[in-house]
Amino acid sequence: MTGTLGIVAGGGPLPARLAAAARASGRPVFVLGLEGHADTATIAGYPHALHRIGAAGQILGALRQAGVDELVLIGTVRRPSLLTLMPDAEGAKILARIGRAAFAGDDGLLAAVIRVFEEEGFRVRGAQEVMTGLAAPEGVLGRHAPDAAAEADIVRGATVARILGAADVGQAVVVQQGIVLGVEAVEGTDALLARCASLRREGPAGVLVKRAKPGQEARADLPTIGVRTVEGAAAAGLAGIAIEAGMTLMPEREATIAAADAAGLFLVARRFD
């Protein structure tokens, strides 16, 4: 019999949604909330514990005590500086094992963290493996479809996002009439959209393109969109959103599609490669 599913929870609604899906399937679940990141109200109804990121010894101990065998890392986490991390003794050892990856981009660091969890005996899985229907299917996902101008911007955006992702910088870009209005870095997609609202040009509206990084670690930090993304794109005056099929999470799929339809935005998922 499969043991307890452990969820290392950052912020946002996804950790609780995943816990609910696991519970509905009859599987025991344990949520390890990261202090300062996890939404404590949403995980309160599940067996859980809260620990700061640097307390690696307590985190590993809590997961083992709960009988966790498989682990999912999910939710937003703002990367702490090494000065504020304050690792415990086990955390200091793990930092040494991670080595130079601690100073790399987010994807490199996450890959190293996953490796450590697996060396400690946990099987790390992607949220989309555990919760069916979480990843976006290929195709036009609402009532609206991109026109020729938007299609050209999607192609341009997908190329720029691939280059951006290869440098382990970000996953999203806004393009209008072939001109890159903004790229995502540490600020996130919502802030990118807010910034681009004042940069839009006259003429055909732009597009948001969001895709996984080349060689993306599919078990953590996959691109995610939701109703808030649609609202931000609409406020920025965009024509629509293009995402990578199978590699972009849509935890509020029906609501997100409905929001795009209501705003008059297209929402498409493509196999960019």
Side-chain angles (χ1 to χ4, degrees):
M1 179 179 177
T2 303
T4 299
L5 176 69
I7 300 173
V8 177
L14 267 176
R17 290 176 184 271
L18 186 64
R23 175 176 281 181
S25 72
R27 185 170 187 184
V29 64
F30 176 76
V31 183
L32 193 293
L34 299 175
E35 284 184 359
H37 303 275
D39 184 341
T40 55
T42 63
I43 65 174
Y46 303 95
H48 70 280
L50 289 170
H51 293 293
R52 59 184 182 84
I53 290 178
Q58 295 177 34
I59 289 173
L60 293 173
L63 293 171
R64 291 187 176 114
Q65 186 174 3
V68 169
D69 59 353
E70 291 188 332
L71 199 60
V72 175
L73 282 62
I74 194 164
T76 56
V77 176
R78 289 212 173 270
R79 183 170 177 163
S81 70
L82 292 179
L83 291 176
T84 61
L85 191 59
M86 295 183 296
D88 59 13
E90 187 65 30
K93 292 178 183 176
I94 287 175
L95 276 177
R97 288 161 64 184
I98 289 175
R100 294 178 63 183
F103 303 93
D106 288 343
D107 206 45
L109 176 59
L110 280 169
V113 169
I114 288 172
R115 186 191 73 238
V116 168
F117 272 122
E118 294 196 321
E119 289 172 353
E120 292 294 329
F122 302 101
R123 181 189 175 197
V124 181
R125 300 184 64 189
Q128 72 279 10
E129 299 178 68
V130 177
M131 187 175 174
T132 58
L134 188 57
E138 186 174 7
V140 176
L141 303 182
R143 293 200 304 262
H144 308 288
D147 60 16
E151 288 286 4
D153 281 344
I154 290 171
V155 172
R156 170 79 165 144
T159 300
V160 174
R162 177 177 55 79
I163 295 169
L164 187 71
D168 203 358
V169 173
Q171 301 169 323
V173 59
V174 174
V175 178
Q176 183 184 11
Q177 300 165 38
I179 297 172
V180 177
L181 299 187
V183 298
E184 179 191 45
V186 71
E187 82 276 28
T189 305
D190 292 340
L192 165 67
L193 290 170
R195 177 159 47 87
C196 289
S198 63
L199 302 175
R200 63 188 180 191
R201 303 158 60 85
E202 296 296 328
V207 302
L208 169 69
V209 179
K210 194 160 187 177
R211 66 178 297 179
K213 301 170 185 175
Q216 171 87 43
E217 172 52 75
R219 292 172 292 176
D221 196 35
L222 284 179
T224 303
I225 70 161
V227 172
R228 188 169 173 180
T229 314
V230 172
E231 293 172 346
L238 302 186
I241 300 169
I243 57 179
E244 185 168 5
M247 290 292 282
T248 303
L249 305 184
M250 291 182 65
E252 310 167 290
R253 183 186 299 180
E254 292 184 3
T256 302
I257 294 171
D261 286 345
L265 271 63
F266 67 77
L267 178 57
V268 297
R270 298 277 170 79
R271 303 282 181 184
F272 290 126
D273 292 329

